[in-house]
Amino acid sequence: MPTARTVSPNRIAKRLAAIKPSPTVSLFGRVAQLRSEGRNIIGLVAGEPDFDTPDNIKQAAVDAIWQGKTKYTPVDGTAELKEAIKNKFKRENDLTYANDQIIVGVGGKHVIFNAFLATLSPGDEVIIPAPYWVSYPEMVTVCDGVPVIIPGRPEKGFKLDPADLDRAITPRTKWVILNSPSNPSGAAYTPDELRAVTEVLRKHPHIMVLADDIYEHLIYGDFKFTTPAQIEPELYDRTLTVNGVSKTYCMTGWRIGYAGGPRDVVKAMAAVQSHSTTNPASISQYAAVEALNGPQDFIKPNKDAFERRRDMVVKRLNAVEGIECQVPQGAFYVFPSCEGLIGKKRPDGQVIQSDEDFVLYLLEEAGLGVVFGSAFGMSPYFRVSYAASDEVLKDACDRIADAASRLR
Ligand code: GLU
């Protein structure tokens, strides 16, 4: 029997040295664990709609099972799903792709990971505007790339300033990630704001654009969603437009994401995928066909509910002394500042020194799970997902107000 001393200390790859488990996924697990221990915990951690997957989509999956569509499919997606995705891109984004420009993966996360695995060589830089989704820099690092973070400007709604982008570009820049509406800030670019960014990118033909459009349909008021390859056709040949069914169709667990983009990149991504997952689950793919081709009328009421919740949460958070919250245009997150609470003492005497301390305090003392801003590359903020019922959100805001009022 080998003893602990005989185990090599170098078993884990060097490129993983700086990688931590996803804070969103781990906190989600922590909330579930505390609940299973009988604690009264509200979890506003995970970015997933609280609405159920529509029945017609579930039925399509059931039908697929009974029709025996339970075998391997082509690595990059079934013919039916690729057709549905091409039609979606044409209908909603005015983007035309051929079959060999489309790839389906196991969620948007997998598609993005494959894109980096397929394209990054050691030292290639990827520009990531902060606050960013927790997994972007980690994926880049795992794939031997170098994340280059551009801090967003709170006074500009956290959006990327085109001049900041221009300054961050080097000959090693391989990709720029644009995520609108954004996780975690909910900020979305108007067509003019996006054009100002694509104008910079137009001048640098060696750069590819990864447009993460997963929150496309969760956009409020009369805000108009646009995507980089649509706004600037010159970028079409170097943009990977990533989307998925998780958020719009309440299908987070089904794990279907997809992308349209340049043939060589898509082909390389499919090669990577052929050696890892092969195809995404056949049954989920048939459900996704129904999601994209079937009735879209449930999206509007879901959106209206999210918009109402956003307004309620923003108003209640802004009423708390020490917290300031902007009104985001989309997604289902708010990203308030807790700057006014930093330096204050908890009832047990511990000092809140960071957003992470504040979030821990909320979890321990108020039974509320949210995510600290530093996980998204920006402090002192925290992310609240408002994909929960009005009652739960009211309770959560009361808990935040009460916890904040007990700080001295
Ligand atoms: N994208 C969602 C979030 O930010 C799901 C969890 C994850 O994959 O990070 O909460």
Side-chain angles (χ1 to χ4, degrees):
M1 207 41 198
T3 66
R5 260 173 294 138
T6 63
V7 168
S8 161
N10 301 321
R11 291 206 288 195
I12 307 303
K14 285 201 185 73
R15 68 177 184 288
L16 286 184
I19 304 295
K20 293 181 286 309
S22 162
T24 46
V25 177
S26 331
L27 273 163
F28 186 55
R30 175 97 182 103
V31 165
Q33 187 204 336
L34 288 171
R35 274 197 193 132
S36 73
E37 290 166 7
R39 299 259 320 262
N40 168 11
I41 306 282
I42 297 180
L44 301 180
V45 170
E48 67 175 347
D50 54 317
F51 305 117
D52 199 6
T53 307
D55 285 351
N56 60 311
I57 299 175
K58 290 182 186 171
Q59 189 59 51
V62 172
D63 293 347
I65 291 174
W66 285 109
Q67 287 160 11
K69 294 173 174 168
T70 51
K71 303 285 166 59
Y72 289 133
T73 76
V75 166
D76 50 355
T78 61
E80 293 92 326
L81 183 50
K82 282 191 168 197
E83 201 54 35
I85 292 167
K86 284 192 300 179
N87 289 338
K88 176 263 178 260
F89 275 131
K90 188 73 206 150
R91 180 176 76 232
E92 297 182 343
N93 311 110
D94 203 17
L95 291 173
T96 306
Y97 293 112
N99 272 3
D100 56 356
Q101 291 182 281
I102 300 283
I103 183 159
V104 184
V106 185
K109 203 172 195 169
H110 183 223
V111 171
I112 298 170
F113 202 101
N114 277 347
F116 291 149
L117 263 180
T119 57
L120 293 180
S121 300
D124 282 348
E125 296 170 4
V126 179
I127 293 181
I128 305 174
Y132 48 72
W133 175 46
V134 294
S135 292
Y136 296 144
E138 306 293 69
M139 289 180 182
V140 169
T141 306
V142 170
C143 298
D144 286 332
V146 179
V148 175
I149 310 298
I150 305 184
R153 298 176 184 236
E155 71 278 11
K156 291 197 163 189
F158 302 103
K159 285 176 235 180
L160 175 63
D161 184 284
D164 291 345
L165 171 63
D166 210 14
R167 268 191 297 277
I169 290 171
T170 76
R172 293 303 310 258
T173 308
K174 190 101 184 216
W175 289 96
V176 171
I177 302 180
L178 296 176
N179 171 220
S180 168
S182 148
N183 175 5
S185 71
Y189 291 72
T190 64
D192 283 346
E193 286 168 337
L194 193 56
R195 200 167 289 112
V197 171
T198 57
E199 197 49 34
V200 173
L201 296 170
R202 217 170 54 82
K203 291 186 293 177
H204 299 276
H206 67 292
I207 300 179
M208 290 191 285
V209 182
L210 194 147
D212 181 351
D213 292 350
I214 194 78
Y215 297 98
E216 167 178 12
H217 285 287
L218 301 175
I219 206 146
Y220 308 120
D222 50 13
F223 201 93
K224 186 172 164 19
F225 173 87
T226 44
T227 189
Q230 169 190 25
I231 273 280
E232 178 46 77
E234 265 191 51
L235 293 183
Y236 172 84
D237 287 331
R238 48 188 172 107
T239 299
L240 189 71
T241 305
V242 180
N243 214 317
V245 294
S246 293
K247 315 286 180 178
T248 305
Y249 300 96
C250 315
M251 292 175 71
T252 44
W254 300 73
R255 309 312 298 133
I256 294 291
Y258 57 85
R263 283 191 175 81
D264 55 339
V265 173
V266 167
K267 190 174 166 199
M269 289 166 67
V272 169
Q273 191 159 303
S274 75
H275 292 295
S276 55
T277 55
T278 312
N279 57 278
S282 59
I283 299 150
S284 294
Q285 290 192 64
Y286 283 98
V289 171
E290 173 63 17
L292 294 175
N293 289 348
Q296 308 287 303
D297 47 346
F298 69 94
I299 297 176
K300 172 88 169 76
N302 286 5
K303 236 170 76 141
D304 290 347
F306 283 135
E307 183 167 357
R308 193 184 62 241
R309 294 165 178 183
R310 174 200 65 174
D311 292 343
M312 190 256 286
V313 169
V314 168
K315 190 163 160 229
R316 284 179 177 244
L317 289 178
N318 276 327
V320 178
E321 216 183 304
I323 291 182
E324 270 180 44
C325 187
Q326 301 198 20
V327 183
Q329 296 84 13
F332 35 57
Y333 309 109
V334 288
F335 196 58
S337 161
C338 55
E339 192 166 9
L341 302 174
I342 304 294
K344 295 201 169 189
K345 270 196 194 139
R346 296 167 40 145
D348 63 7
Q350 286 184 57
V351 179
I352 305 278
Q353 283 171 338
S354 62
D355 44 40
E356 197 163 349
D357 284 352
F358 180 60
V359 162
L360 192 66
Y361 169 61
L362 288 179
L363 187 60
E364 288 174 354
E365 298 295 321
L368 174 65
V370 292
V371 188
F372 44 93
S374 55
F376 307 97
M378 221 152 156
S379 292
Y381 295 88
F382 59 104
R383 186 189 81 172
V384 180
S385 161
Y386 53 85
S389 71
D390 293 33
E391 294 68 43
V392 166
L393 292 172
K394 277 182 197 146
D395 187 358
C397 291
D398 287 346
R399 290 184 191 209
I400 293 175
D402 179 57
S405 74
R406 284 190 281 126
L407 295 172
R408 291 286 170 261

